[in-house]
Amino acid sequence: MASTQDEARLQNARETIDSLHDLSQLLETGLDKQVLSICVGMIEQGANPDTLAPNRSASRHTDASQAVVKELRREAAALKAEQASSGER
């Protein structure tokens, strides 16, 4: 059974993602809630937010989303490698 503190934290996270999604739609980024959640998680784990920004030269919103996903994968691999190397020490 989840505590009220956990429930409040989860509700706060949902509201944050909802707000980010609203901004994303206003700015016509083409990013959905799942991608935004991944971005937030990556930034919270130490990823550079500038590297998560879509390439401005992308011609379509779907291209921008794909660019973000590719960059997220690169960042995730880099973080995983960094964590693995620091765990070996």
Side-chain angles (χ1 to χ4, degrees):
M1 190 174 220
S3 71
T4 47
Q5 187 177 25
D6 290 340
E7 290 172 12
R9 199 172 312 150
L10 185 58
Q11 181 61 29
N12 190 15
R14 282 188 190 119
E15 290 172 4
T16 299
I17 294 301
D18 287 345
S19 295
L20 288 172
H21 187 249
D22 290 344
L23 286 171
S24 174
Q25 288 184 315
L26 286 171
L27 296 171
E28 298 179 357
T29 64
L31 302 175
D32 61 22
K33 288 183 181 182
Q34 182 180 11
V35 172
L36 291 168
S37 295
I38 292 169
C39 288
V40 169
M42 296 285 296
I43 292 167
E44 287 174 346
Q45 293 296 316
N48 180 351
D50 292 333
T51 63
L52 302 178
N55 184 349
R56 295 275 180 190
S57 65
S59 61
R60 310 291 277 119
H61 296 302
T62 54
D63 291 339
S65 294
Q66 290 172 351
V68 168
V69 170
K70 284 181 185 177
E71 193 60 40
L72 287 172
R73 288 182 179 142
R74 277 186 278 224
E75 282 286 327
L79 284 171
K80 189 181 279 188
E82 183 180 315
Q83 290 171 347
S85 68
S86 64
E88 292 175 0
R89 293 180 185 169

